[in-house]
Amino acid sequence: MERNSRARLIGAVAAIAIAGAVASARASEGTFALLGGAPKIVSQLSATYGAGHVATVRIRQFLGDGTTPILKYDIEMEKLIHLIVVRDDFATFAHVHPSFDPATGTFTQSLTLDPKHRYYVYADTTPHGIGQQVFRFALGAPFFVSHSSSGPSSTSVAVGPYTVSLARTTLPADRTQSLNVTVLKRGRPAPDLTTYLGAAAHAVFINTLTLEYVHVHPTLRGTPATAMGAMNMGATAQAGPLMTMEVPALPDGMYKLWIQFGGAGGAVYTAPFTLRAR
Ligand SMILES: [Cu+2]
């Protein structure tokens, strides 16, 4: 019955008939998208579209048999799921945390979509006993928007009162490397940064051609980095303006990168970059 009340369902027989005709809730199967990982589960998304370009997205995941729903997830970075939603031109980025119904294993999230665009939705979870899994789905307009082959972005981006800088935005491909991340406020190392979801910062990379996904966590310079792909940081994560991140071996290509961090008062800021690996 999911979360709908019985009364609402009975009152909505006509609407169900319409929904059935539109068949908008048919589940689509996600494409495995974690760079360097391997698919161990089946991930499905269904979407219903309402007024105001609002889509209600439901995600269910299953064991490899495709029929046994996964009901138990490990909490990673304070949440059961991280849903990353990126517009097809990579101009918008959202990181949200759907609600979870443990009885059915269904994650539910409302998203407002620009009807002229397609969106890539990444479901980043850690099913208990399985490890991190990331699946990609497409929502919205069915046409493909070709991406201009623009070069890497500037190494500095202003976001709110902060300026976020990377050591470089052109990286050697196919090798792991450390990349310094610096956050300034009024020209000085920002004194008021706060942790966000249990980390100094979160960095999501998406290959603009293959749409492969990587999610790493910058740490304060001079503190030990966590293992690649491990989201468990313990309770000791600290925020600060001088960070470094361990970048995994990126195949040759262009990558969008969004760095999220907490500012004064816990406000969340997102700094977008474009990287070239070659
Ligand atoms: Cu993160």
Side-chain angles (χ1 to χ4, degrees):
M1 280 290 136
E2 308 217 357
R3 291 181 170 191
N4 297 315
S5 73
R6 226 166 261 271
R8 258 178 75 196
L9 279 180
I10 291 167
V13 170
I16 288 169
I18 292 166
V22 175
S24 55
R26 170 135 20 119
S28 60
E29 209 157 283
T31 302
F32 189 76
L34 180 61
L35 183 72
K40 295 174 182 155
I41 65 170
V42 173
S43 185
Q44 293 185 350
L45 177 148
S46 63
T48 51
Y49 295 89
H53 310 303
V54 174
T56 301
V57 167
R58 290 183 181 80
I59 292 169
R60 284 185 91 196
Q61 304 192 120
F62 303 86
L63 296 180
D65 63 9
T67 58
T68 307
I70 296 171
L71 304 179
K72 190 149 189 259
Y73 289 88
D74 292 340
I75 292 176
E76 293 295 341
M77 289 302 171
E78 305 180 358
K79 302 290 179 182
L80 292 174
I81 183 171
H82 298 265
L83 200 70
I84 303 294
V85 184
V86 176
R87 210 168 76 176
D88 54 4
D89 58 359
F90 304 107
T92 72
F93 172 91
H95 174 178
V96 294
H97 303 106
S99 63
F100 182 58
D101 178 356
T104 62
T106 306
F107 295 100
T108 304
Q109 178 71 44
S110 291
L111 300 171
T112 301
L113 307 178
D114 180 331
K116 297 188 297 297
H117 283 277
R118 164 172 283 221
Y119 290 79
Y120 303 120
V121 177
Y122 293 83
D124 186 341
T125 63
T126 303
H128 184 67
I130 292 175
Q132 188 186 15
Q133 295 279 283
V134 180
F135 288 82
R136 167 174 60 82
F137 303 88
L139 278 183
F143 55 86
F144 178 75
V145 177
S146 64
H147 310 300
S148 62
S149 54
S150 58
S153 64
S154 156
T155 54
S156 290
V157 169
V159 49
Y162 301 104
T163 300
V164 182
S165 298
L166 298 179
R168 55 194 178 276
T169 51
T170 297
L171 313 178
D174 300 320
R175 74 173 76 145
T176 61
Q177 56 206 293
S178 300
L179 189 61
N180 282 350
V181 180
T182 303
V183 183
L184 300 183
K185 188 177 193 182
R186 295 188 202 100
R188 297 175 178 281
D192 54 1
L193 300 184
T194 53
T195 58
Y196 171 53
L197 296 176
H202 298 252
V204 170
F205 298 72
I206 293 177
N207 182 302
T208 63
L209 189 64
T210 66
L211 301 175
E212 280 181 303
Y213 169 105
V214 177
H215 184 161
V216 301
H217 298 105
T219 55
L220 298 193
R221 273 175 230 166
T223 61
T226 51
M228 201 57 55
M231 291 184 82
N232 272 315
M233 311 277 296
T236 57
Q238 284 190 318
L242 308 179
M243 296 177 272
T244 190
M245 66 177 163
E246 299 305 313
V247 179
L250 301 175
D252 189 282
M254 300 298 296
Y255 294 80
K256 290 300 293 192
L257 163 64
W258 293 269
I259 295 178
Q260 293 193 292
F261 60 96
V268 177
Y269 294 91
T270 304
F273 296 91
T274 306
L275 305 184
R276 171 184 285 147
R278 66 176 179 190

